Amino acid sequence: MNYLVLKITGRAFNADPHLLRRYVNVVKSLLDARKLVVVTGGGAYARKYIEVARDVGVESNYWLDLIGILASRLNSLLLISALSNHAYPHPPESIEEAVKAVGCYKLVVMGGLIPGQSTASVLLQVAEALGVKKVYYYSAVGRVYDRDPARYPGARPLSVITASELKSILEQRTLPGEYALIDANALEISVRSGIEIQLLDYREPEQIYNALEGENPGTIVIPR
Amino acid sequence: MNYLVLKITGRAFNADPHLLRRYVNVVKSLLDARKLVVVTGGGAYARKYIEVARDVGVESNYWLDLIGILASRLNSLLLISALSNHAYPHPPESIEEAVKAVGCYKLVVMGGLIPGQSTASVLLQVAEALGVKKVYYYSAVGRVYDRDPARYPGARPLSVITASELKSILEQRTLPGEYALIDANALEISVRSGIEIQLLDYREPEQIYNALEGENPGTIVIPR
Amino acid sequence: MNYLVLKITGRAFNADPHLLRRYVNVVKSLLDARKLVVVTGGGAYARKYIEVARDVGVESNYWLDLIGILASRLNSLLLISALSNHAYPHPPESIEEAVKAVGCYKLVVMGGLIPGQSTASVLLQVAEALGVKKVYYYSAVGRVYDRDPARYPGARPLSVITASELKSILEQRTLPGEYALIDANALEISVRSGIEIQLLDYREPEQIYNALEGENPGTIVIPR
Amino acid sequence: MNYLVLKITGRAFNADPHLLRRYVNVVKSLLDARKLVVVTGGGAYARKYIEVARDVGVESNYWLDLIGILASRLNSLLLISALSNHAYPHPPESIEEAVKAVGCYKLVVMGGLIPGQSTASVLLQVAEALGVKKVYYYSAVGRVYDRDPARYPGARPLSVITASELKSILEQRTLPGEYALIDANALEISVRSGIEIQLLDYREPEQIYNALEGENPGTIVIPR
Amino acid sequence: MNYLVLKITGRAFNADPHLLRRYVNVVKSLLDARKLVVVTGGGAYARKYIEVARDVGVESNYWLDLIGILASRLNSLLLISALSNHAYPHPPESIEEAVKAVGCYKLVVMGGLIPGQSTASVLLQVAEALGVKKVYYYSAVGRVYDRDPARYPGARPLSVITASELKSILEQRTLPGEYALIDANALEISVRSGIEIQLLDYREPEQIYNALEGENPGTIVIPR
Amino acid sequence: MNYLVLKITGRAFNADPHLLRRYVNVVKSLLDARKLVVVTGGGAYARKYIEVARDVGVESNYWLDLIGILASRLNSLLLISALSNHAYPHPPESIEEAVKAVGCYKLVVMGGLIPGQSTASVLLQVAEALGVKKVYYYSAVGRVYDRDPARYPGARPLSVITASELKSILEQRTLPGEYALIDANALEISVRSGIEIQLLDYREPEQIYNALEGENPGTIVIPR
């Protein structure tokens, strides 16, 4: 049985419930033909909790990250509870637990794993562990642009970009709750194990059907 | 070394950060002379997440409760991160783990444990396991009234009430995220093991100093 | 695949081995068409060990209950060993472990879980977690009577009773080893999640065949 | 801090509670000056349960042994509950867990570990792991005789015997619940790591005080 | 589904990679028709590491054995990584974990378990736990001889030997890294549970095909 | 009590035992005044095993890395066994386990944690988790040079370098067993949490005494 490995940005969990229902339906329909591992991001509550922690004097990035990780698992649990007939009943806390779980269950949903590592890295690590060569990543924008679209109205979306180009474009941020679209560590795993990343727009869960039929609805990151 | 076992309602974690800082300071100062086990409730985020789960079609109380439990652990982690020099580094997931942890660490912070059980029950179970005969419970009101104060302006606070009287007053609710002030199961443990419950007002963390000196700033529930 | 969730009173394990063999055969035959979770009570050895503990000075209900729980797991292990080709090889120690186990194994056998909670509560919790709406409970009497049959010779068995009626009839006992037929906490889970309880006579393991065909060989507790 | 490692035969747990109280007192008093690891045997209930399992058709020595192991842990829990202020709160399930526990707690109580291995072997393994060179073993007789005292009235107790002499005397039995006084595997560990075994009479818990003062109230097995 | 339980001596992992590739192929082809549990020995690296530990002053057999056990797990991981599509993803650390794993996975690979116990004992324990009556053991020689072939040129290989004869022939060694072909404990499990041991030459992985067709390419140890 | 966090390159474990004995002595003497966490690299055996795995056809970086991680834990165990009176008795498998362990034990020794992450990253993560602002790293060279000393005879050692300068000098390699001196991920943690890295020459374990007195025997990496 083949595997589908994807990530859903935390943002999808704090938007309207209708969007989340669409994700639930998409995941359910994908389960018919394959096993799924879904990685969930942290989102607004993660950031909110991290902010409160800072307010009460927590300065350690380790602890702030742990809070973000637990919040991302709350998003995992939300998805698990909606698909509990098919899912491994709790978010794995290591890649090894995920690998074990996927041997017995059709659906595994997990959040962050360790401080200092983004959930995008988790996505790539799971793919590497399972020998999967393409992952799907629902992100805030769904595309990479040639310039920052927030500042340049004429910025144009790219359909393909290499991992090393993307690495030089992205401003690296590694603060808790503030991980960039994708971090250097994730891109390195992508390159070393030849894993292609299909970016998708988190507002359009159904885009994955097109992507599975060979279309490219967002940007593809080539592992080079 | 003696133990102090207390619960902080989830509400305290969603109010202004200043209140939370006061809790951090109170817990820190109490650690000088004793070991502490702190149980944290779920609060607004627990209810919010449970609501979202319902919106995407989750009907099972088991799963809704699990979401509430994970949210209560997020509150635990917040407190742990602010007191990480003294604390067992994650919320125990069973009474047994809590008992083990308190043998080695000065501070243990934990949330809910199992579906169908309130965090008030966790408070009483920890006390029973450690042989503690009095617990402190920061709740939304801090007192029990002779009538519902929301409806009867002349309702008067009681300084003492028996567990069985309280049981007959309380409307029992056992829905996820909607556990009453204290549930029957918690009161039964209180009675069977003779554990007194000192209610305190969650807006006044420092009340516990008075309570430890023998005053009664809220209502005391007698285990009878 | 559908689930069958049932409880066998501890008494069945301390009677003649012939009775236990009948249980083994019944469970084996039921496995042909479905997955089973079996909860085993503590029984005579649980009470015996609790009594010895009291004799050496143990007063804590927490520890006395833990002893009862371990004894109930000894009964689980007995059943597991007799059905080891089909069974998850040890008694789960939490509802979550049971849910995980039942995803991979045809038969899961478990005893008590936490102090202050009866094995009848475990029965209802497992059912709630698996979304099962009817459970089978082999108990000492198998029926509820309109009056205490030990004192009133004319007491008549009831074929149906609501959970709330049953709650008001039962004298609540929550001492280690002395849990009543069914406790308030179990009945609350039954009501909140709409789970019907079919009582069966523990001396007649084969009654379940009739019950599965729609008959009512004992008393049915309606979740209201 | 130095360690004292001892085993109490299962028989001590099924005798009169007064004897068990004496053990509790002895263990408590020994804790003043050192850390203790106590291994508990299975005894009558272990054999009773194994017999029931055989009656319902269990033939596998693996499963029969597992039942004996769980029963021996019930004896451990009894002792833990009576000394819960000092004890690691549950019986370790591996030597490694015991080694970890003894780093943090004054008292560790454990039963059998794996099928095919006697609790006498556990005693020697713990000692080897902790670097302890003498262990105390409360057994049914407390002494080794030059001939079988049950058959030869003139049999004389030996105050000292080597491990290899003892090995050739003992009829080796390795059936579940029927392990001999001490088995070959235990004696091999004794020899390879130079651990002396002081046999004591289980009816006289206080003999250990004499043994600790250099007397030999039973038989000493020399690791040769 | 039936089980095949076999052991590969550590020596096979330190020889040329070509031999190891043959083992990988043999294991892969055997998986078509059955589930496999493979026990891996420690071999040269185990002995090397134990030697280094002795050089830095480690005298405890417990710790030296633990090092040997971890080295044997490194051999397990090598085999798991080459067969990761079929294998439980890490070496079980107890018989119970192995029994659980084999319920969900086609292939389980494991090394040593506890100090003082050879991997040959692990082989027999797994077989006993799974109810398997014949095991396959790739060892350094593959046969038992009537005399030590290293010293007597005329020594003749035996096709059959009883466990008790073998026991008296073998010089018992129980030092870390120096366990003999098979130890007394393994032979006792063989006898008590009636498990036949087919010895095979580790240089000829394909011998097992012949053995499975009823031939005897090495020596068979009869459980008597 | 303050913490000292250091890493010893795997190379130190494959050199002459005399060097390893010096490390054992250094670690022992450091324990007098503080708690230690020691991270051990993989070294020659890790690379050897990874090579064998490649030879039998393993291509997945995930599995190759896991082999390297287990080999690094073998080095940890070597150190633990030589210091078993003070050490947590096995290598933690997550940062959280390390944090927990250090609350109870004076010495914690650990190897790699997850695929795709160097043991240098583990060093920085442990420091971040414990709030330590300076770490010690015994590496192959002990110093950073302004040019590759292997190619340029006139290359000069630097006493201080910033993390960002070092990042641009180092050729990034992330293949199993081939991690560079320090990787980008480790340097990012260093920068985000302000942790200084003192490089030391692995051939001179005693250099740390000088470093602790404020000298700089190698190169210091400034977290900027």
Side-chain angles (χ1 to χ4, degrees), chain D residues 31-57:
Chain D
L31 285 172
D32 287 342
R34 55 188 83 69
K35 290 189 172 197
L36 255 82
V37 180
V38 178
V39 180
T40 60
Y45 290 107
R47 275 188 298 277
K48 172 75 186 159
Y49 259 87
I50 288 168
E51 187 192 311
V52 174
R54 282 213 179 87
D55 280 343
V56 297

PDB file of all heavy atoms in Angstrom, chain D residues 31-57:
ATOM      1  N   LEU D  31      15.656   0.704  56.443  1.00  0.00           N
ATOM      2  CA  LEU D  31      15.730   1.885  55.567  1.00  0.00           C
ATOM      3  C   LEU D  31      16.458   3.073  56.199  1.00  0.00           C
ATOM      4  O   LEU D  31      16.872   3.990  55.504  1.00  0.00           O
ATOM      5  CB  LEU D  31      14.320   2.334  55.164  1.00  0.00           C
ATOM      6  CG  LEU D  31      13.616   1.481  54.117  1.00  0.00           C
ATOM      7  CD1 LEU D  31      12.171   1.934  53.962  1.00  0.00           C
ATOM      8  CD2 LEU D  31      14.351   1.585  52.796  1.00  0.00           C
ATOM      9  N   ASP D  32      16.590   3.040  57.530  1.00  0.00           N
ATOM     10  CA  ASP D  32      17.252   4.170  58.183  1.00  0.00           C
ATOM     11  C   ASP D  32      18.672   4.373  57.674  1.00  0.00           C
ATOM     12  O   ASP D  32      19.126   5.490  57.508  1.00  0.00           O
ATOM     13  CB  ASP D  32      17.294   3.948  59.710  1.00  0.00           C
ATOM     14  CG  ASP D  32      15.933   4.122  60.331  1.00  0.00           C
ATOM     15  OD1 ASP D  32      15.066   4.724  59.664  1.00  0.00           O
ATOM     16  OD2 ASP D  32      15.730   3.645  61.457  1.00  0.00           O
ATOM     17  N   ALA D  33      19.346   3.248  57.400  1.00  0.00           N
ATOM     18  CA  ALA D  33      20.778   3.379  57.114  1.00  0.00           C
ATOM     19  C   ALA D  33      21.175   3.030  55.687  1.00  0.00           C
ATOM     20  O   ALA D  33      22.350   3.098  55.341  1.00  0.00           O
ATOM     21  CB  ALA D  33      21.565   2.506  58.089  1.00  0.00           C
ATOM     22  N   ARG D  34      20.208   2.629  54.871  1.00  0.00           N
ATOM     23  CA  ARG D  34      20.586   2.198  53.514  1.00  0.00           C
ATOM     24  C   ARG D  34      19.382   2.145  52.598  1.00  0.00           C
ATOM     25  O   ARG D  34      18.254   2.254  53.036  1.00  0.00           O
ATOM     26  CB  ARG D  34      21.248   0.825  53.602  1.00  0.00           C
ATOM     27  CG  ARG D  34      20.388  -0.209  54.293  1.00  0.00           C
ATOM     28  CD  ARG D  34      21.129  -1.481  54.539  1.00  0.00           C
ATOM     29  NE  ARG D  34      21.960  -1.474  55.733  1.00  0.00           N
ATOM     30  CZ  ARG D  34      21.516  -1.444  56.993  1.00  0.00           C
ATOM     31  NH1 ARG D  34      20.223  -1.365  57.263  1.00  0.00           N
ATOM     32  NH2 ARG D  34      22.339  -1.485  58.010  1.00  0.00           N
ATOM     33  N   LYS D  35      19.671   1.939  51.306  1.00  0.00           N
ATOM     34  CA  LYS D  35      18.621   1.714  50.329  1.00  0.00           C
ATOM     35  C   LYS D  35      18.365   0.216  50.206  1.00  0.00           C
ATOM     36  O   LYS D  35      19.288  -0.580  50.337  1.00  0.00           O
ATOM     37  CB  LYS D  35      19.039   2.280  48.970  1.00  0.00           C
ATOM     38  CG  LYS D  35      19.069   3.802  48.929  1.00  0.00           C
ATOM     39  CD  LYS D  35      19.281   4.318  47.510  1.00  0.00           C
ATOM     40  CE  LYS D  35      19.097   5.829  47.478  1.00  0.00           C
ATOM     41  NZ  LYS D  35      18.897   6.325  46.111  1.00  0.00           N
ATOM     42  N   LEU D  36      17.127  -0.139  49.935  1.00  0.00           N
ATOM     43  CA  LEU D  36      16.772  -1.554  49.847  1.00  0.00           C
ATOM     44  C   LEU D  36      16.118  -1.896  48.513  1.00  0.00           C
ATOM     45  O   LEU D  36      15.282  -1.147  48.008  1.00  0.00           O
ATOM     46  CB  LEU D  36      15.751  -1.912  50.935  1.00  0.00           C
ATOM     47  CG  LEU D  36      16.269  -2.711  52.129  1.00  0.00           C
ATOM     48  CD1 LEU D  36      16.920  -1.717  53.092  1.00  0.00           C
ATOM     49  CD2 LEU D  36      15.161  -3.468  52.821  1.00  0.00           C
ATOM     50  N   VAL D  37      16.505  -3.047  47.972  1.00  0.00           N
ATOM     51  CA  VAL D  37      15.718  -3.653  46.900  1.00  0.00           C
ATOM     52  C   VAL D  37      15.212  -4.981  47.421  1.00  0.00           C
ATOM     53  O   VAL D  37      16.002  -5.817  47.865  1.00  0.00           O
ATOM     54  CB  VAL D  37      16.542  -3.867  45.617  1.00  0.00           C
ATOM     55  CG1 VAL D  37      15.668  -4.507  44.537  1.00  0.00           C
ATOM     56  CG2 VAL D  37      17.134  -2.571  45.118  1.00  0.00           C
ATOM     57  N   VAL D  38      13.888  -5.151  47.409  1.00  0.00           N
ATOM     58  CA  VAL D  38      13.280  -6.378  47.909  1.00  0.00           C
ATOM     59  C   VAL D  38      12.617  -7.103  46.743  1.00  0.00           C
ATOM     60  O   VAL D  38      11.846  -6.504  46.000  1.00  0.00           O
ATOM     61  CB  VAL D  38      12.223  -6.064  48.994  1.00  0.00           C
ATOM     62  CG1 VAL D  38      11.564  -7.355  49.481  1.00  0.00           C
ATOM     63  CG2 VAL D  38      12.852  -5.291  50.148  1.00  0.00           C
ATOM     64  N   VAL D  39      12.951  -8.382  46.576  1.00  0.00           N
ATOM     65  CA  VAL D  39      12.314  -9.207  45.558  1.00  0.00           C
ATOM     66  C   VAL D  39      11.294 -10.112  46.244  1.00  0.00           C
ATOM     67  O   VAL D  39      11.621 -10.750  47.239  1.00  0.00           O
ATOM     68  CB  VAL D  39      13.365 -10.065  44.806  1.00  0.00           C
ATOM     69  CG1 VAL D  39      12.705 -10.930  43.737  1.00  0.00           C
ATOM     70  CG2 VAL D  39      14.436  -9.172  44.197  1.00  0.00           C
ATOM     71  N   THR D  40      10.066 -10.131  45.735  1.00  0.00           N
ATOM     72  CA  THR D  40       9.041 -10.968  46.350  1.00  0.00           C
ATOM     73  C   THR D  40       8.709 -12.158  45.455  1.00  0.00           C
ATOM     74  O   THR D  40       8.561 -12.022  44.246  1.00  0.00           O
ATOM     75  CB  THR D  40       7.739 -10.161  46.570  1.00  0.00           C
ATOM     76  OG1 THR D  40       7.269  -9.692  45.298  1.00  0.00           O
ATOM     77  CG2 THR D  40       7.969  -8.969  47.476  1.00  0.00           C
ATOM     78  N   GLY D  41       8.584 -13.315  46.062  1.00  0.00           N
ATOM     79  CA  GLY D  41       8.202 -14.523  45.325  1.00  0.00           C
ATOM     80  C   GLY D  41       6.711 -14.564  45.057  1.00  0.00           C
ATOM     81  O   GLY D  41       5.977 -13.625  45.399  1.00  0.00           O
ATOM     82  N   GLY D  42       6.261 -15.639  44.425  1.00  0.00           N
ATOM     83  CA  GLY D  42       4.857 -15.741  44.025  1.00  0.00           C
ATOM     84  C   GLY D  42       3.970 -16.380  45.090  1.00  0.00           C
ATOM     85  O   GLY D  42       2.960 -15.819  45.488  1.00  0.00           O
ATOM     86  N   GLY D  43       4.349 -17.557  45.565  1.00  0.00           N
ATOM     87  CA  GLY D  43       3.592 -18.192  46.630  1.00  0.00           C
ATOM     88  C   GLY D  43       2.321 -18.894  46.199  1.00  0.00           C
ATOM     89  O   GLY D  43       2.135 -19.224  45.023  1.00  0.00           O
ATOM     90  N   ALA D  44       1.445 -19.091  47.192  1.00  0.00           N
ATOM     91  CA  ALA D  44       0.260 -19.929  47.004  1.00  0.00           C
ATOM     92  C   ALA D  44      -0.682 -19.401  45.922  1.00  0.00           C
ATOM     93  O   ALA D  44      -1.223 -20.177  45.137  1.00  0.00           O
ATOM     94  CB  ALA D  44      -0.487 -20.046  48.333  1.00  0.00           C
ATOM     95  N   TYR D  45      -0.900 -18.087  45.861  1.00  0.00           N
ATOM     96  CA  TYR D  45      -1.837 -17.564  44.870  1.00  0.00           C
ATOM     97  C   TYR D  45      -1.293 -17.743  43.463  1.00  0.00           C
ATOM     98  O   TYR D  45      -2.039 -18.014  42.530  1.00  0.00           O
ATOM     99  CB  TYR D  45      -2.178 -16.101  45.143  1.00  0.00           C
ATOM    100  CG  TYR D  45      -3.012 -15.953  46.371  1.00  0.00           C
ATOM    101  CD1 TYR D  45      -2.479 -15.441  47.549  1.00  0.00           C
ATOM    102  CD2 TYR D  45      -4.343 -16.374  46.358  1.00  0.00           C
ATOM    103  CE1 TYR D  45      -3.247 -15.341  48.687  1.00  0.00           C
ATOM    104  CE2 TYR D  45      -5.118 -16.277  47.503  1.00  0.00           C
ATOM    105  CZ  TYR D  45      -4.575 -15.760  48.667  1.00  0.00           C
ATOM    106  OH  TYR D  45      -5.338 -15.672  49.787  1.00  0.00           O
ATOM    107  N   ALA D  46       0.001 -17.551  43.307  1.00  0.00           N
ATOM    108  CA  ALA D  46       0.616 -17.805  42.010  1.00  0.00           C
ATOM    109  C   ALA D  46       0.319 -19.239  41.578  1.00  0.00           C
ATOM    110  O   ALA D  46      -0.148 -19.484  40.463  1.00  0.00           O
ATOM    111  CB  ALA D  46       2.123 -17.571  42.088  1.00  0.00           C
ATOM    112  N   ARG D  47       0.559 -20.183  42.483  1.00  0.00           N
ATOM    113  CA  ARG D  47       0.318 -21.585  42.121  1.00  0.00           C
ATOM    114  C   ARG D  47      -1.161 -21.860  41.857  1.00  0.00           C
ATOM    115  O   ARG D  47      -1.520 -22.572  40.928  1.00  0.00           O
ATOM    116  CB  ARG D  47       0.853 -22.512  43.218  1.00  0.00           C
ATOM    117  CG  ARG D  47       2.345 -22.819  43.045  1.00  0.00           C
ATOM    118  CD  ARG D  47       2.827 -23.882  44.001  1.00  0.00           C
ATOM    119  NE  ARG D  47       2.663 -23.450  45.383  1.00  0.00           N
ATOM    120  CZ  ARG D  47       3.550 -22.663  46.017  1.00  0.00           C
ATOM    121  NH1 ARG D  47       4.641 -22.246  45.413  1.00  0.00           N
ATOM    122  NH2 ARG D  47       3.327 -22.302  47.258  1.00  0.00           N
ATOM    123  N   LYS D  48      -2.005 -21.245  42.669  1.00  0.00           N
ATOM    124  CA  LYS D  48      -3.454 -21.417  42.511  1.00  0.00           C
ATOM    125  C   LYS D  48      -3.891 -20.914  41.124  1.00  0.00           C
ATOM    126  O   LYS D  48      -4.625 -21.604  40.400  1.00  0.00           O
ATOM    127  CB  LYS D  48      -4.152 -20.609  43.615  1.00  0.00           C
ATOM    128  CG  LYS D  48      -5.646 -20.511  43.507  1.00  0.00           C
ATOM    129  CD  LYS D  48      -6.310 -21.828  43.910  1.00  0.00           C
ATOM    130  CE  LYS D  48      -7.832 -21.753  43.654  1.00  0.00           C
ATOM    131  NZ  LYS D  48      -8.436 -23.080  43.548  1.00  0.00           N
ATOM    132  N   TYR D  49      -3.436 -19.734  40.746  1.00  0.00           N
ATOM    133  CA  TYR D  49      -3.827 -19.167  39.452  1.00  0.00           C
ATOM    134  C   TYR D  49      -3.277 -19.988  38.285  1.00  0.00           C
ATOM    135  O   TYR D  49      -3.931 -20.174  37.272  1.00  0.00           O
ATOM    136  CB  TYR D  49      -3.378 -17.708  39.351  1.00  0.00           C
ATOM    137  CG  TYR D  49      -4.503 -16.744  39.612  1.00  0.00           C
ATOM    138  CD1 TYR D  49      -4.797 -16.339  40.900  1.00  0.00           C
ATOM    139  CD2 TYR D  49      -5.287 -16.278  38.572  1.00  0.00           C
ATOM    140  CE1 TYR D  49      -5.859 -15.481  41.154  1.00  0.00           C
ATOM    141  CE2 TYR D  49      -6.349 -15.415  38.800  1.00  0.00           C
ATOM    142  CZ  TYR D  49      -6.633 -15.010  40.100  1.00  0.00           C
ATOM    143  OH  TYR D  49      -7.674 -14.169  40.329  1.00  0.00           O
ATOM    144  N   ILE D  50      -2.052 -20.463  38.452  1.00  0.00           N
ATOM    145  CA  ILE D  50      -1.458 -21.296  37.402  1.00  0.00           C
ATOM    146  C   ILE D  50      -2.267 -22.579  37.230  1.00  0.00           C
ATOM    147  O   ILE D  50      -2.516 -23.041  36.118  1.00  0.00           O
ATOM    148  CB  ILE D  50       0.021 -21.594  37.752  1.00  0.00           C
ATOM    149  CG1 ILE D  50       0.853 -20.316  37.552  1.00  0.00           C
ATOM    150  CG2 ILE D  50       0.570 -22.742  36.910  1.00  0.00           C
ATOM    151  CD1 ILE D  50       2.254 -20.389  38.123  1.00  0.00           C
ATOM    152  N   GLU D  51      -2.737 -23.102  38.354  1.00  0.00           N
ATOM    153  CA  GLU D  51      -3.546 -24.313  38.311  1.00  0.00           C
ATOM    154  C   GLU D  51      -4.870 -24.060  37.582  1.00  0.00           C
ATOM    155  O   GLU D  51      -5.294 -24.860  36.740  1.00  0.00           O
ATOM    156  CB  GLU D  51      -3.803 -24.751  39.764  1.00  0.00           C
ATOM    157  CG  GLU D  51      -4.496 -26.075  39.927  1.00  0.00           C
ATOM    158  CD  GLU D  51      -4.951 -26.241  41.382  1.00  0.00           C
ATOM    159  OE1 GLU D  51      -4.119 -26.021  42.299  1.00  0.00           O
ATOM    160  OE2 GLU D  51      -6.144 -26.521  41.608  1.00  0.00           O
ATOM    161  N   VAL D  52      -5.499 -22.921  37.886  1.00  0.00           N
ATOM    162  CA  VAL D  52      -6.755 -22.580  37.193  1.00  0.00           C
ATOM    163  C   VAL D  52      -6.498 -22.450  35.696  1.00  0.00           C
ATOM    164  O   VAL D  52      -7.267 -22.945  34.865  1.00  0.00           O
ATOM    165  CB  VAL D  52      -7.367 -21.275  37.755  1.00  0.00           C
ATOM    166  CG1 VAL D  52      -8.586 -20.854  36.927  1.00  0.00           C
ATOM    167  CG2 VAL D  52      -7.742 -21.444  39.215  1.00  0.00           C
ATOM    168  N   ALA D  53      -5.387 -21.781  35.343  1.00  0.00           N
ATOM    169  CA  ALA D  53      -5.063 -21.616  33.923  1.00  0.00           C
ATOM    170  C   ALA D  53      -4.905 -22.981  33.262  1.00  0.00           C
ATOM    171  O   ALA D  53      -5.429 -23.221  32.168  1.00  0.00           O
ATOM    172  CB  ALA D  53      -3.793 -20.780  33.773  1.00  0.00           C
ATOM    173  N   ARG D  54      -4.233 -23.908  33.940  1.00  0.00           N
ATOM    174  CA  ARG D  54      -4.097 -25.252  33.372  1.00  0.00           C
ATOM    175  C   ARG D  54      -5.466 -25.892  33.192  1.00  0.00           C
ATOM    176  O   ARG D  54      -5.731 -26.559  32.192  1.00  0.00           O
ATOM    177  CB  ARG D  54      -3.220 -26.128  34.283  1.00  0.00           C
ATOM    178  CG  ARG D  54      -1.744 -25.856  34.158  1.00  0.00           C
ATOM    179  CD  ARG D  54      -0.929 -27.151  34.381  1.00  0.00           C
ATOM    180  NE  ARG D  54       0.500 -26.874  34.235  1.00  0.00           N
ATOM    181  CZ  ARG D  54       1.278 -26.452  35.218  1.00  0.00           C
ATOM    182  NH1 ARG D  54       0.781 -26.274  36.434  1.00  0.00           N
ATOM    183  NH2 ARG D  54       2.563 -26.213  34.993  1.00  0.00           N
ATOM    184  N   ASP D  55      -6.333 -25.661  34.181  1.00  0.00           N
ATOM    185  CA  ASP D  55      -7.676 -26.242  34.111  1.00  0.00           C
ATOM    186  C   ASP D  55      -8.473 -25.738  32.909  1.00  0.00           C
ATOM    187  O   ASP D  55      -9.315 -26.452  32.383  1.00  0.00           O
ATOM    188  CB  ASP D  55      -8.459 -25.917  35.400  1.00  0.00           C
ATOM    189  CG  ASP D  55      -8.082 -26.840  36.543  1.00  0.00           C
ATOM    190  OD1 ASP D  55      -7.481 -27.896  36.274  1.00  0.00           O
ATOM    191  OD2 ASP D  55      -8.390 -26.504  37.697  1.00  0.00           O
ATOM    192  N   VAL D  56      -8.240 -24.519  32.507  1.00  0.00           N
ATOM    193  CA  VAL D  56      -8.986 -24.022  31.342  1.00  0.00           C
ATOM    194  C   VAL D  56      -8.213 -24.267  30.040  1.00  0.00           C
ATOM    195  O   VAL D  56      -8.559 -23.697  29.004  1.00  0.00           O
ATOM    196  CB  VAL D  56      -9.379 -22.527  31.453  1.00  0.00           C
ATOM    197  CG1 VAL D  56     -10.322 -22.323  32.629  1.00  0.00           C
ATOM    198  CG2 VAL D  56      -8.164 -21.637  31.581  1.00  0.00           C
ATOM    199  N   GLY D  57      -7.166 -25.069  30.125  1.00  0.00           N
ATOM    200  CA  GLY D  57      -6.525 -25.508  28.895  1.00  0.00           C
ATOM    201  C   GLY D  57      -5.235 -24.816  28.502  1.00  0.00           C
ATOM    202  O   GLY D  57      -4.689 -25.068  27.428  1.00  0.00           O
TER     203      GLY D  57
END
